[in-house]
């Protein structure tokens, strides 16, 4: 485990040009998170992110996450399994590790806009799926 944390993960991040989204893409987040079982401690990509986060100052973690709009939401065009996981794990990590110093407030959206965002996303996804099924193509 220590070799993975101290050698392997930093090496993979370097090979990804220190781009966390690219790093997560190489870890195949879409499939690994789907196969994650409830009750497990955390998925491999989530654990890898926490290892990376441990060596970065909290304010730098927040500053480096450049995917939020003014509502503190990831715009739909930037929403991927990688950005969603990055955002979720970053908030969870700061919730556990950071003293209440305002860093979470920079990342967490207000409840009502977040609920509207999720609702809009789900409705557009189900509408797209329905149109693909009914229309015979996309």
């Amino acid at each position: 485990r220590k070799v993975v944390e101290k050698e392997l993960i930093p090496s993979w991040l370097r090979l990804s040009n220190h781009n966390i989204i690219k790093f997560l893409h190489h870890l195949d987040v879409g499939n690994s998170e789907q196969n994650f079982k409830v009750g497990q401690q955390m998925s491999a990509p989530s654990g890898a992110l926490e290892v990376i986060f441990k060596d970065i100052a909290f304010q730098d973690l927040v500053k480096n996450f450049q995917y939020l709009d003014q509502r503190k939401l990831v715009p739909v065009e930037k929403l991927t399994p990688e950005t969603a996981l990055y955002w979720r794990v970053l908030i969870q990590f700061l919730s556990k590790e950071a003293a209440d110093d305002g860093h979470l407030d920079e990342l967490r959206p207000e409840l009502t806009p977040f609920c509207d965002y999720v609702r809009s996303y789900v409705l557009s996804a189900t509408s797209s799926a329905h149109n693909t099924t009914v229309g015979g193509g996309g």
Side-chain angles (χ1 to χ4, degrees), residues 71-86:
R71 301 170 301 158
K72 299 185 234 173
L73 297 167
V74 177
V76 173
E77 62 275 3
K78 292 182 181 179
L79 188 61
T80 64
E82 293 82 10
T83 55
L85 180 72
Y86 185 5

Side-chain angles (χ1 to χ4, degrees), residues 40-59:
Q40 282 180 307
Q41 196 163 9
M42 77 175 51
S43 68
S46 297
L49 282 176
E50 288 212 354
V51 167
I52 293 167
F53 295 164
K54 286 179 186 175
D55 293 330
I56 302 173
F58 299 141
Q59 63 268 21

Side-chain angles (χ1 to χ4, degrees), residues 10-26:
S11 294
W12 287 345
L13 188 58
R14 274 192 304 279
L15 288 172
S16 300
N17 296 319
H18 297 279
N19 181 322
I20 290 179
I21 297 299
K22 191 183 292 185
F23 170 77
L24 290 172
H25 181 74
H26 293 304

Side-chain angles (χ1 to χ4, degrees), residues 55-73:
D55 293 330
I56 302 173
F58 299 141
Q59 63 268 21
D60 291 336
L61 287 171
V62 173
K63 185 178 73 176
N64 293 339
F65 189 76
Q66 297 292 315
Y67 300 95
L68 300 181
D69 62 16
Q70 69 280 1
R71 301 170 301 158
K72 299 185 234 173
L73 297 167

